[in-house]
Amino acid sequence: MRKALVAGNWKMHGSRSVVAELLDALADGVADMSGGPDMAVLPPFLFVPAAADRLTDTAIAVGAQNVCDQDDEGAFTGEVSARMLKEAGCRYALTGHSERRALYGESDELVAARTAAALRGGIIPIVCLGESLSEREAGETDAVVQRQLRAVVDAVGISGLAGAVLAYEPVWAIGTGRTASPQQAQAVHALLRTYLRKRDAVIGDGMRILYGGSVKPDNAAELFAMPDIDGGLIGGASLNADAFLAICRAAG
Ligand code: PGA
């Protein structure tokens, strides 16, 4: 049985005061929740220590939105290593978010190298995969997500993926209010699971595959009801504690 995970990707949002308020609301709200899925928030790097501090002894873990591909400290301006993230209290890190791929030119190979470094450093990577609208319209969805996944499998080996989580995020559904239908999402999730199962049945069956892209309290339950959707990666709605916790409850 796979335990669902709901992670809130705060992207580049927040300020000290806004983050403090959001963390208080999350800590209070989650205290009344029993059971539920695994939960995490992924603030901008600067707010990770505050989040780790405030959420200690709650059911909500903390993660980062990226991780360096290098293990050792050194001349890598602008990067943060897995060791540093771990020391700051992170359990998870995103790799390959479509905004990193599209806006900052991260290649499949760099995403794979970041994923491998996270795993070596004891951080659980949440590896994001997804096609753009033009790729979907050209019928390339399956080829694109398999290519993105293959690069990661090539870098860490199929058994290396045991410590990872995948997130399918169709780019056309991110921040657009346009969600993939449960059936559209399920089809890609099943494809990804089959890809992994062919290489290792245990890894394939055990892999948590999250859906991301305009998940809201009112559409979460029907997405999470699909057999191969194991939780969600939540952007906009994760900036509101009530909305985020409602989505978490839908995954419980
Ligand atoms: P969204 O973002 O929920 O605002 O669509 C999801 C994501 O980019 O992870």
Side-chain angles (χ1 to χ4, degrees):
M1 213 16 212
R2 296 181 296 269
K3 182 153 192 217
L5 166 65
V6 178
N9 173 14
W10 292 3
K11 309 194 180 189
M12 198 176 77
H13 289 286
S15 64
R16 264 208 267 199
S17 58
V18 165
V19 164
E21 238 174 79
L22 180 51
L23 290 170
D24 282 344
L26 287 169
D28 288 348
V30 80
D32 303 332
M33 234 171 109
S34 59
D38 286 347
M39 295 171 270
V41 292
L42 317 171
F45 286 128
L46 276 177
F47 301 129
V48 162
D53 225 38
R54 186 64 184 87
L55 298 175
T56 309
D57 298 329
T58 74
I60 304 178
V62 176
Q65 297 171 19
N66 210 347
V67 54
C68 186
D69 61 324
Q70 303 290 323
D71 297 333
D72 297 326
E73 56 187 86
F76 306 106
T77 302
E79 294 288 326
V80 180
S81 72
R83 183 186 58 71
M84 294 169 180
L85 293 180
K86 206 162 165 76
E87 192 176 48
C90 286
R91 181 170 166 78
Y92 301 96
L94 294 182
T95 60
H97 191 279
S98 64
E99 286 149 23
R100 298 300 315 171
R101 295 178 189 265
L103 303 176
Y104 299 97
E106 294 198 9
S107 64
D108 291 341
E109 289 67 34
L110 177 56
V111 170
R114 291 186 187 278
T115 304
L119 288 165
R120 286 194 301 272
I123 293 282
I124 300 171
I126 302 174
V127 186
C128 304
L129 315 166
E131 82 288 1
S132 67
L133 184 59
S134 60
E135 288 165 338
R136 172 160 285 261
E137 285 171 349
E140 293 166 1
T141 300
D142 295 5
V144 169
V145 296
Q146 289 186 70
R147 186 201 76 223
Q148 292 170 336
L149 179 55
R150 189 183 320 116
V152 176
V153 175
D154 286 350
V156 305
I158 186 73
S159 54
L161 273 185
V165 174
L166 300 182
Y168 169 57
E169 295 207 310
V171 178
W172 47 272
I174 295 178
T176 56
R178 184 176 163 189
T179 323
S181 70
Q183 294 69 26
Q184 279 175 321
Q186 166 59 25
V188 179
H189 283 235
L191 176 94
L192 294 169
R193 194 175 309 288
T194 300
Y195 180 97
L196 296 173
R197 282 193 95 263
K198 279 194 192 139
R199 285 149 185 87
D200 187 316
V202 174
I203 298 287
D205 286 338
M207 179 61 64
R208 292 192 285 186
I209 310 178
L210 315 185
Y211 169 78
S214 298
V215 179
K216 307 284 180 232
D218 60 1
N219 61 19
E222 55 173 3
L223 286 159
F224 299 160
M226 302 311 282
D228 289 296
I229 300 183
D230 309 309
L233 181 56
I234 320 301
S238 73
L239 296 167
N240 177 292
D242 290 339
F244 181 68
L245 292 173
I247 293 168
C248 291
R249 273 185 220 101

